[in-house]
Amino acid sequence: MAEGVTEGPLLAVQGLDAFYGESHVLHGVAFAVNGGEVVTLLGRNGAGKTTTLKSILGIVGRRSGSVRLRGAETIRLRSDAVARLGIAYCPEERGIFASLNVEENLLLPPVVKPGGMSAADIYAVFPNLLERRGSQGSKLSGGEQQMLAIGRILRTGADLLLLDEPTEGLAPVIVQAIGVVIRQLKARGFTVLLVEQNFRFAATVADRHYVMEDGRVVDMFRNDELDANMGKLHDYLGV
Amino acid sequence: MFELLGVPPQALFGQLLLGLINGAFYAMLSLGLAVIFGMLNVINFAHGAQYMMGAFTAWMLLNFLGVNYWAALILAPLLVGLFGILLERLFLRHLYHLDHLYGLLLTFGLALIIEGVFRKFYGSSGQPYSIPEELTGGHNLGFMFLPNYRAWVVAFSLVVCLAVWYLIERTKLGSYLRAATENPTLVQAFGINVPRMVMLTYGFGVGLAALAGVMAAPIYQVSPLMGANLIIVVFAVVVIGGMGSILGSIVTGFGLGVVEGFTKVFYPEASNTVIFVIMAIVLVLRPAGLFGRAQ
Ligand SMILES: Nc1ncnc2c1ncn2[C@@H]1O[C@H](COP(=O)(O)OP(=O)(O)O)[C@@H](O)[C@H]1O
Ligand SMILES: [Mg+2]
């Protein structure tokens, strides 16, 4: 992903506000993700992590501020145009289409740039999906759904992946498997913005962590500073 | 002559054929409604008027431009489909985020306007449209006489219905449609231009109604209210089959046409109401319809 090598961060968010109807949910969110990094958004339930991802894509009711990808402003673009710049999204609720089978789900997101993984590469990373390729989306277990939700965005050539709580509600073995996958993706050159509540998991995959509270980014740690800041983190996350 | 259940076979098979013909139109129209409802969340009350426009477009193409039935079979759905796209751009697009009721009221109003305009120019009497030369005549099958044009209507509508089913359930394009029916926001966030897809889907559904109209022109007369009468029954068919189900609308359409035909043989007094009686029973026992998924 040579074109990721530009001056400045791959993704720069500044002064981002977002609204659902009358309720004002994000208040001047600011952070940046460099090409090739895995960066997390940590924070309690309702802090605004999901809304931040949705605002980057343009699928909240209303948003303002600045979201720049490789320096280019995207805040006024429609979500399909944002996706075509090379951002792919794995939603918190996974968004597997029940009326499509596994293979149709996998092949659904259109290729937006060259350089994506092939379906065969993805089946090699997630062998379970190959076995279940003919099954209806509605018949998958939670873990299989999550694998599929991640797998299907790797084909598109998007180099920035937005993953919303991929480990939520999954058994420890599957959480570990997802950790392996995220490290593989980083090694392949993907940039990942990961929303997590589980900071022990986050610490095993990420380079940096931003902490969100009440619709704002309130702190940032490098992964190697995490141990030194355990007390603060416990306060932020209420664990 | 032998009899079946006390009914001469000529009468029985004659009504069965009539039922299949009606069923063919029920199926094609309810299929279009299902496709539109799935994607746009709009109950397209203008469907009957658009069916009528298909028949009238074929009639005009023939009488003003000398364009024959076979060309009209392609041209009329395209032209009426484009008109549908115009309606979508101008009006429907603004209603998607609102309750079904608004789309229903808007398309109901559009139907009244369209039918009113045609009545102003053509009155309410019918214009004849003759059967294409290649399909005149018929065959005596021994137990009944089968007119060629009617055989064509049943066969061709079945082919069209199955092709639409295949397109939606078995192709890549169809997977986009099904996915966008479930979760348009996510499909768009993957980079697909969903608003354009919605627009084309409406045009396609309207074109399907117009195609049924062209096929109907030689059987029924071409008249401004030909769709208004039919669409009420078609809505009952849609309710029985389950709103939005593709296979459901095909099976229910043909099935209820046949049921109606048999009712004409065995209990003619009920033939105009049997579909509505079935609708009432289905609504009580299975409100989501025979093929619908309960929400
Ligand atoms: N669709 C919505 N409509 C109204 N309010 C919402 C909606 N989604 C989220 N919110 C509110 O926005 C705030 C942030 O939510 P969210 O971004 O989902 O937080 P997180 O992902 O950090 O748990 C919460 O107060 C939540 O109640
Ligand atoms: Mg969330």
Side-chain angles (χ1 to χ4, degrees):
Chain A
M1 308 212 168
E3 61 181 313
V5 188
T6 48
E7 292 297 312
L10 178 66
L11 175 74
V13 176
Q14 275 165 349
L16 181 63
D17 281 31
F19 306 79
Y20 292 109
E22 291 299 295
S23 76
H24 188 170
V25 173
L26 298 186
H27 307 268
V29 167
F31 65 94
V33 182
N34 299 310
E37 267 190 319
V38 176
V39 170
T40 66
L41 295 177
L42 301 173
R44 294 183 204 207
N45 242 330
K49 307 180 295 295
T50 296
T51 306
T52 302
L53 296 192
K54 288 186 172 175
S55 305
I56 293 170
L57 280 163
I59 54 175
V60 288
R62 192 154 62 81
R63 67 205 168 126
S64 61
S66 167
V67 175
R68 277 177 292 137
L69 189 71
R70 293 184 195 86
E73 186 57 64
T74 68
I75 195 82
R76 260 173 274 287
L77 298 183
R78 231 168 50 179
S79 62
D80 49 328
V82 175
R84 293 197 168 269
L85 296 174
I87 303 186
Y89 175 48
C90 174
E92 189 169 10
E93 67 284 358
R94 291 159 195 155
I96 298 306
F97 299 102
S99 59
L100 275 59
N101 66 25
V102 167
E103 182 128 315
E104 286 175 324
N105 267 287
L106 186 69
L107 300 181
L108 183 88
V111 171
V112 296
K113 282 171 135 196
M117 292 166 66
S118 67
D121 285 346
I122 296 167
Y123 281 135
V125 177
F126 303 108
N128 300 32
L129 295 183
L130 184 60
E131 271 167 48
R132 307 222 47 185
R133 68 203 287 185
S135 306
Q136 232 26 49
S138 50
K139 302 265 156 61
L140 300 182
S141 71
E144 288 167 334
Q145 285 189 21
Q146 190 62 66
M147 305 273 169
L148 182 53
I150 298 176
R152 71 178 169 189
I153 61 175
L154 306 179
R155 255 183 67 258
T156 66
D159 41 14
L160 174 58
L161 309 182
L162 310 182
L163 309 183
D164 199 345
E165 301 208 35
T167 64
E168 192 183 9
L170 298 181
V173 261
I174 300 175
V175 172
Q176 265 184 14
I178 288 176
V180 171
V181 169
I182 293 176
R183 284 189 294 273
Q184 281 178 15
L185 294 178
K186 180 177 160 70
R188 282 177 178 262
F190 284 100
T191 307
V192 180
L193 178 58
L194 174 71
V195 164
E196 262 306 328
Q197 298 220 34
N198 176 351
F199 77 88
R200 286 178 212 294
F201 171 77
T204 65
V205 294
D207 301 303
R208 291 187 299 128
H209 309 273
Y210 287 97
V211 182
M212 291 193 70
E213 229 174 43
D214 300 328
R216 293 173 179 83
V217 169
V218 293
D219 214 335
M220 193 275 281
F221 307 102
R222 287 205 319 271
N223 199 44
D224 57 21
E225 301 169 332
L226 215 51
D227 284 339
N229 290 285
M230 235 2 126
K232 250 173 154 179
L233 211 53
H234 277 274
D235 281 350
Y236 284 135
L237 302 180
V239 284
Chain B
M1 269 313 275
F2 69 99
E3 297 197 341
L4 291 169
L5 305 166
V7 177
Q10 292 285 355
L12 187 66
F13 288 108
Q15 290 300 342
L16 177 63
L17 178 64
L18 223 59
L20 276 176
I21 297 271
N22 285 335
F25 291 114
Y26 297 161
M28 285 186 68
L29 291 171
S30 62
L31 182 60
L33 284 174
V35 171
I36 291 172
F37 180 76
M39 191 74 174
L40 285 80
N41 213 13
V42 162
I43 299 170
N44 185 34
F45 231 94
H47 218 65
Q50 288 153 347
Y51 158 87
M52 176 273 288
M53 285 178 78
F56 256 105
T57 305
W59 182 86
M60 289 176 187
L61 284 171
L62 182 67
N63 287 285
F64 302 155
L65 301 173
V67 173
N68 72 12
Y69 173 86
W70 303 104
L73 217 46
I74 295 167
L75 281 178
L78 277 178
L79 292 171
V80 181
L82 282 176
F83 172 73
I85 284 178
L86 189 71
L87 294 181
E88 198 276 343
R89 287 255 124 160
L90 291 177
F91 305 115
L92 285 174
R93 160 154 309 199
H94 306 290
L95 302 179
Y96 297 145
H97 59 288
L98 301 173
D99 190 84
H100 300 321
L101 194 57
Y102 291 87
L104 189 147
L105 288 173
L106 177 89
T107 52
F108 183 60
L110 287 172
L112 292 180
I113 293 169
I114 295 168
E115 283 165 354
V117 167
F118 276 85
R119 266 168 76 173
K120 175 161 167 42
F121 289 102
Y122 294 97
S124 36
S125 64
Q127 314 286 331
Y129 187 101
S130 42
I131 292 175
E133 221 173 289
E134 298 84 346
L135 293 175
T136 49
H139 291 87
N140 195 340
L141 303 180
F143 55 91
M144 68 176 291
F145 179 76
L146 179 64
N148 288 340
Y149 187 76
R150 301 197 167 211
W152 153 257
V153 166
V154 172
F156 185 58
S157 63
L158 202 59
V159 168
V160 169
C161 286
L162 291 178
V164 172
W165 173 83
Y166 185 86
L167 176 75
I168 292 175
E169 299 292 343
R170 290 288 180 272
T171 67
K172 175 90 188 185
L173 182 66
S175 73
Y176 286 148
L177 276 169
R178 276 175 284 142
T181 298
E182 273 185 54
N183 189 345
T185 307
L186 185 58
V187 171
Q188 189 163 355
F190 283 148
I192 294 168
N193 189 338
V194 171
R196 189 175 63 195
M197 206 159 94
V198 167
M199 178 186 86
L200 293 175
T201 302
Y202 189 70
F204 178 78
V206 172
L208 212 51
L211 179 64
V214 179
M215 291 166 70
I219 297 186
Y220 312 111
Q221 298 222 311
V222 178
S223 78
L225 293 180
M226 64 191 283
N229 304 328
L230 183 58
I231 202 65
I232 302 300
V233 182
V234 171
F235 272 107
V237 171
V238 167
V239 171
I240 294 168
M243 199 79 208
S245 160
I246 300 299
L247 197 59
S249 51
I250 300 173
V251 173
T252 318
F254 278 100
L256 287 174
V258 169
V259 167
E260 213 180 28
F262 278 130
T263 312
K264 266 197 194 109
V265 178
F266 295 108
Y267 192 61
E269 296 84 345
S271 64
N272 289 327
T273 47
V274 62
I275 288 185
F276 297 98
V277 172
I278 295 174
M279 179 182 87
I281 295 170
V282 168
L283 276 177
V284 171
L285 298 180
R286 224 181 125 83
L290 297 179
F291 294 83
R293 265 180 294 243
Q295 300 286 314

